[in-house]
Amino acid sequence: MSPRKKKILKRGKRYQRARRLPLIKKEEKYVPHILRGMKDILPADQIYWDFVLKKMEEAVRSYGFSKITLPILEDKKLFEKGTGRTTEIVEKQMFNFSDQSGTPIALRPEGTPQLVRAYIEQGMDNLPQPVKLYHFGQRFRYERPQSGRQREFWQFDIDILGSEKPIVDAEILLLLQNIFQELGLKINFEINSLGCENCRKVYRNKLVAYLGGRRNKLCPDCQKRLEVNPLRVLDCKEQTCQFFLSQSPQIIDWLCEECRAHFTRLLEYLDELEIIYSLNSRIVRGLDYYTKTVFEILPKRVDKQKDQQLEAQPAHEIVRGQIALGGGGRYDNLVEFLGGRSTPACGVALGLERIIEELKAQSAKIPKIKSPQIFVAQISEIARSTALKIFENLRQEGFRATHNLSKDSLKTQLEIANKLKVKFSLIIGHQEFLNKTVIIRDMNSGNQEIVDQAKIVREIKKRLK
Ligand code: AMP
């Protein structure tokens, strides 16, 4: 700010107005802070992220899935049409803005519509079917942040497009069972069928007839849902609505023949494959595109105390949405609905933050990062780049070496080496630099020996055997 402006500002707004000077506002003090509902994933947590992603990618690749990477931004209309205009996600939770050209953009709130967009746009319907894809990344939903619910979170999606067979649904569930086994997490699948448009119409009428008589007792949101999308009432977390729902008609009693056969065959496959599941007629998943099979993955806590707490709570008090580790199902009409050929499909989205929190809650075993074996220390400025070169040499030879070349004092460097519990420290001082040698210090015994820099790799190999 110029000194003149500063002077005007100091004299105050009245002075500025009296003199008809343009009003100058004080610059707001800005304290950098993270946005609400967003999270920095710190280095200490990366071990969990690496572990989870590695296990998931290994499993899906071994099942023949290929990776696809999709953009974070999409046309807002894709989600309005794909996810559904009356869904919570589109109605209340999308992060929207217009870009410089005025195109309405959304930060993706979920992955399925954009996967389908890519499937159609990239001509994947011409590939041998079914097409098996996985993708992962951030999703954005403007929700009230709370435990297990952020505004930015990561999902790992697994999808099979191009088959209507129930064995595909079973394959995804078996793959998920393997993933959670590999992660060391105990889970349970809760499964339901939403049928097709035909049977859903019949069920919808039954449900409206049942709930219509109790309309005034439902929460205000459900009174609205009853008009717009009655099935969504089944998803309501309000206690009063839950009470009425416990006696409401169940969709599986109203499935048409084809949907019933699909569901029955799937359950038979699950039994044959020894996949443990429970039926839950209240799972509707809250998105418009689901047909037939829907399911959620819920953690089965091994922690007795938490287990008892969960079991002691009546079902309606367990905030399901907050603990589900993932959910998915069939979306047989979405590809056609978004302009592609008729392509039945099935998929799942896993919530990575929740899975990581569950790993911590269930005290699952995470492989530790291997600690360094060698610390390279230097004593004089002249030796610093030699130390870095030796470190690089050791690294290329496959040793786990480390250093802290910003430090000057040898004592400090050896203290760091001690904390890291390395077996050997290599010390290069002025003399060693001139003689092209290194001091090898055994950190347990404190014994030291001088060796030629050219022989260091051989010497270390011998000692680490
Ligand atoms: P959905 O796309 O809503 O079916 O969510 C699938 C999974 O993503 C859920 O089961 C959660 O594990 C995770 N998830 C959904 N919304 C959030 C959120 N706001 N914060 C963290 N994880 C979420």
Side-chain angles (χ1 to χ4, degrees):
M1 198 180 283
S2 70
R4 183 168 174 269
K5 271 190 184 171
K6 261 192 198 159
K7 211 167 152 189
I8 296 173
L9 193 65
K10 214 170 157 194
R11 290 192 174 163
K13 279 189 185 147
R14 260 167 65 192
Y15 171 82
Q16 291 172 39
R17 268 194 214 108
R19 293 274 181 129
R20 303 222 165 135
L21 290 167
L23 276 182
I24 300 171
K25 280 188 200 154
K26 241 191 214 169
E27 263 173 50
E28 260 179 51
K29 199 173 163 205
Y30 174 66
V31 182
H33 62 277
I34 194 162
L35 289 173
R36 203 162 125 76
M38 313 275 156
K39 223 176 188 177
D40 296 319
I41 304 170
L42 298 178
D45 253 8
Q46 297 295 344
I47 185 168
Y48 287 94
W49 285 81
D50 291 348
F51 172 67
V52 168
L53 283 171
K54 183 167 173 270
K55 288 289 175 198
M56 286 183 178
E57 286 206 82
E58 271 172 11
V60 291
R61 287 209 175 135
S62 69
Y63 266 69
F65 286 78
S66 309
K67 182 172 174 174
I68 182 165
T69 304
L70 299 163
I72 288 180
L73 302 183
E74 292 277 358
D75 191 324
K76 182 181 164 204
K77 287 186 215 121
L78 175 69
F79 299 105
E80 285 176 346
K81 185 156 183 176
T83 310
R85 225 176 258 279
T86 63
T87 57
E88 292 250 311
I89 290 181
V90 171
E91 231 175 25
K92 299 185 190 158
Q93 298 171 348
M94 272 217 291
F95 278 87
N96 302 319
F97 64 94
S98 291
D99 70 5
Q100 281 78 346
S101 74
T103 308
I105 307 279
L107 272 98
R108 60 177 173 206
E110 59 140 343
T112 311
Q114 63 168 177
L115 179 75
V116 170
R117 186 221 14 94
Y119 176 86
I120 301 167
E121 209 173 2
Q122 307 303 333
M124 286 187 249
D125 47 351
N126 294 320
L127 299 174
Q129 306 289 306
V131 176
K132 298 164 87 173
L133 297 167
Y134 75 93
H135 58 116
F136 57 86
Q138 291 101 318
R139 316 285 185 240
F140 301 86
R141 293 184 196 170
Y142 195 85
E143 300 192 76
R144 193 167 64 80
Q146 51 196 297
S147 151
R149 212 170 269 289
Q150 294 162 214
R151 289 184 177 168
E152 181 191 29
F153 59 97
W154 286 67
Q155 282 183 337
F156 191 104
D157 286 28
I158 306 167
D159 292 82
I160 302 182
L161 297 105
S163 171
E164 78 291 0
K165 298 264 189 301
I167 194 70
V168 161
D169 316 20
E171 180 181 347
I172 289 182
L173 287 160
L174 181 63
L175 166 59
L176 289 171
Q177 177 167 279
N178 287 333
I179 288 177
F180 283 101
Q181 234 161 35
E182 281 287 314
L183 292 175
L185 282 182
K186 296 215 174 354
I187 52 116
N188 189 33
F189 294 115
E190 297 202 350
I191 300 185
N192 191 20
S193 173
L194 293 179
C196 62
E197 266 174 26
N198 294 338
C199 36
R200 211 147 45 192
K201 226 181 266 168
V202 179
Y203 174 67
R204 191 187 145 110
N205 291 340
K206 296 279 165 207
L207 189 66
V208 171
Y210 169 82
L211 291 175
R214 297 156 179 87
R215 179 187 300 267
N216 296 340
K217 302 214 169 91
L218 298 175
C219 75
D221 271 347
C222 279
Q223 293 187 16
K224 240 194 286 159
R225 287 181 187 129
L226 206 53
E227 306 292 333
V228 191
N229 199 338
L231 252 68
R232 203 141 298 139
V233 176
L234 297 177
D235 220 9
C236 182
K237 278 116 200 158
E238 291 295 324
Q239 231 164 312
T240 43
C241 302
Q242 293 274 343
F243 172 76
F244 292 118
L245 289 170
S246 57
Q247 291 146 34
S248 70
Q250 299 202 353
I251 190 153
I252 42 175
D253 295 330
W254 301 95
L255 293 180
C256 68
E257 215 168 290
E258 191 203 318
C259 293
R260 177 178 298 279
H262 183 101
F263 197 47
T264 312
R265 193 67 193 108
L266 170 63
L267 300 186
E268 284 166 3
Y269 285 139
L270 298 187
D271 292 337
E272 285 156 23
L273 294 165
E274 296 176 23
I275 297 173
I276 312 278
Y277 63 89
S278 18
L279 295 178
N280 184 342
S281 61
R282 299 264 278 285
I283 292 186
V284 287
R285 306 278 306 115
L287 306 173
D288 276 0
Y289 50 69
Y290 284 112
T291 48
K292 294 184 178 156
T293 317
V294 281
F295 60 87
E296 278 182 2
I297 304 151
L298 292 161
K300 220 158 72 177
R301 292 269 160 94
V302 275
D303 178 332
K304 282 229 169 79
Q305 221 180 343
K306 282 184 190 147
D307 232 9
Q308 279 163 2
Q309 280 169 10
L310 276 180
E311 273 164 24
Q313 275 175 298
H316 59 258
E317 278 182 13
I318 299 175
V319 185
R320 304 179 44 78
Q322 249 161 268
I323 55 169
L325 304 179
R330 276 208 157 261
Y331 46 99
D332 287 346
N333 303 328
L334 187 60
V335 180
E336 196 175 0
F337 187 63
L338 289 178
R341 287 183 210 155
S342 167
T343 309
C346 188
V348 62
L350 300 168
L352 295 183
E353 282 85 357
R354 292 209 197 151
I355 289 174
I356 287 167
E357 282 314 305
E358 198 53 33
L359 280 172
K360 292 177 186 170
Q362 292 193 19
S363 313
K365 280 200 185 105
I366 303 291
K368 288 208 176 87
I369 292 177
K370 284 188 178 163
S371 55
Q373 304 157 301
I374 308 150
F375 189 93
V376 186
Q378 37 66 46
I379 314 176
S380 70
E381 173 55 29
I382 203 169
R384 252 188 257 269
S385 66
T386 308
L388 188 55
K389 224 190 268 172
I390 289 174
F391 158 78
E392 174 57 20
N393 195 7
L394 291 168
R395 192 195 64 79
Q396 281 187 17
E397 289 290 330
F399 295 110
R400 298 193 305 277
T402 188
H403 62 76
N404 190 332
L405 297 176
S406 313
K407 302 283 180 220
D408 293 323
S409 123
L410 179 64
K411 189 168 166 255
T412 315
Q413 291 177 73
L414 290 182
E415 274 168 11
I416 298 170
N418 249 332
K419 266 195 202 142
L420 292 169
K421 297 198 171 82
V422 295
K423 287 222 165 83
F424 300 101
S425 286
L426 305 182
I427 304 163
I428 307 122
H430 195 246
Q431 204 54 47
E432 288 74 30
F433 170 78
L434 294 176
N435 296 344
K436 293 196 177 345
T437 56
V438 172
I439 300 169
I440 302 184
R441 180 185 173 91
D442 184 316
M443 295 301 284
N444 278 336
S445 63
N447 292 340
Q448 298 194 160
E449 205 181 310
I450 297 176
V451 296
D452 281 350
Q453 282 175 17
K455 291 183 186 156
I456 196 71
V457 169
R458 202 175 346 132
E459 282 298 320
I460 291 286
K461 258 186 199 158
K462 209 164 68 187
R463 283 158 209 246
L464 280 176
K465 250 190 198 163

